[in-house]
Amino acid sequence: MPLIQVQMFAGRTPEQKRNLVRALTDAFVQAAGSTSDAVDVILTDVEKSDWAQGGELFSDKALGG
Amino acid sequence: MPLIQVQMFAGRTPEQKRNLVRALTDAFVQAAGSTSDAVDVILTDVEKSDWAQGGELFSDKALGG
Amino acid sequence: MPLIQVQMFAGRTPEQKRNLVRALTDAFVQAAGSTSDAVDVILTDVEKSDWAQGGELFSDKALGG
Amino acid sequence: MPLIQVQMFAGRTPEQKRNLVRALTDAFVQAAGSTSDAVDVILTDVEKSDWAQGGELFSDKALGG
Amino acid sequence: MPLIQVQMFAGRTPEQKRNLVRALTDAFVQAAGSTSDAVDVILTDVEKSDWAQGGELFSDKALGG
Amino acid sequence: MPLIQVQMFAGRTPEQKRNLVRALTDAFVQAAGSTSDAVDVILTDVEKSDWAQGGELFSDKALGG
């Protein structure tokens, strides 16, 4: 506790994920107050063929998000 | 905003997913009021071996859901 | 199964929610194939002071979403 | 209704998952009151490279969780 | 890790919730293997006016779920 | 897209929430690559009587988390 869950497009490298969980944890501790050890982060990759905005899948858009 | 998240059995075709996100977005706009562009939809496929009802996995049931 | 979860700004009337769950259920059945009875919908109201886009809470934006 | 969602490290066997959904369903019925048939359980496997505690991915820790 | 999230109708007593989190945690440890301390449980109360099955809110059904 | 969902103990001030969504958004943009405008953050307050670790509600623990 706390728990940070991230849904994002698939494709980040292991190094980006490593940096991301560190950065999100630090951001939480500094802005909201907590100890770093108490922060859980779960990352979920979502394919562009499973995410839509405005009723259109990102896999169908000319420019991905 | 708003965000519609769907968990369903795996196996829908790309065309079914395309139609689904369109239909859910239209349904939201018409029933609850919003602009289409503001609606995000995220689809998550769940295997029958990961979903249970009545304490029994759907992969173990004679008739799937 | 399936499960549709909606997060949206608080403030919809009971009648809007009634129409919304009906419309989302119908949309799912028609687009993805299922029986109506199998569809669960859970609505979650989110305050504008708990939802941000672009790093800014909607409660702080001149124009809400 | 109710709905129990579990996020856990990947790697459980089909038999462990079978026992888990049965045990969680029984626990809910006995402790909170409901019929077994009304209980849905959804299991989600999370890779250690997608779960962090204390800002560090479990895949980077000497001892996994 | 693991994380168990429960969505259920509002109205359980504090004692029922206390028993529920204990029972779910024990169920997980025995069926899936883990230490008790590693298990997080988050309970979410859902009003019957926010949960639908078959396109109808439970608050509108003759018999609640 | 992306979507960051935070569950944390209730009690943060509006100013802490304002800083938190800004800090999480900046962290995502810098570590994972995205535009700030594309990042949604949803905050959910959880009461200590609804969150357990090790089978015990935080409201029952001598020291809260």
Side-chain angles (χ1 to χ4, degrees), chain C residues 18-32:
Chain C
R18 185 174 290 120
N19 292 339
L20 178 58
V21 298
R22 165 58 60 198
L24 292 173
T25 301
D26 289 349
F28 189 91
V29 170
Q30 291 166 21

Side-chain angles (χ1 to χ4, degrees), chain B residues 6-59:
Chain B
V6 180
Q7 289 170 290
M8 58 185 179
F9 287 149
R12 266 75 186 198
T13 65
E15 189 60 19
Q16 282 181 304
K17 289 189 173 185
R18 186 173 290 120
N19 292 339
L20 178 59
V21 298
R22 166 57 61 198
L24 292 173
T25 301
D26 290 348
F28 188 92
V29 170
Q30 291 167 20
S34 179
T35 62
S36 176
D37 282 352
V39 181
D40 269 67
V41 181
I42 300 176
L43 307 178
T44 304
D45 292 329
V46 180
E47 298 296 326
K48 291 188 178 182
S49 52
D50 284 319
W51 199 323
Q53 203 166 61
E56 186 182 22
L57 294 169
F58 281 100
S59 53

Side-chain angles (χ1 to χ4, degrees), chain B residues 2 28 31-34, chain C residues 8-17 20 45 65:
Chain B
F28 188 92
S34 179
Chain C
M8 58 184 178
F9 287 151
R12 265 74 185 197
T13 66
E15 188 61 20
Q16 282 181 305
K17 289 189 173 183
L20 178 58
D45 292 328

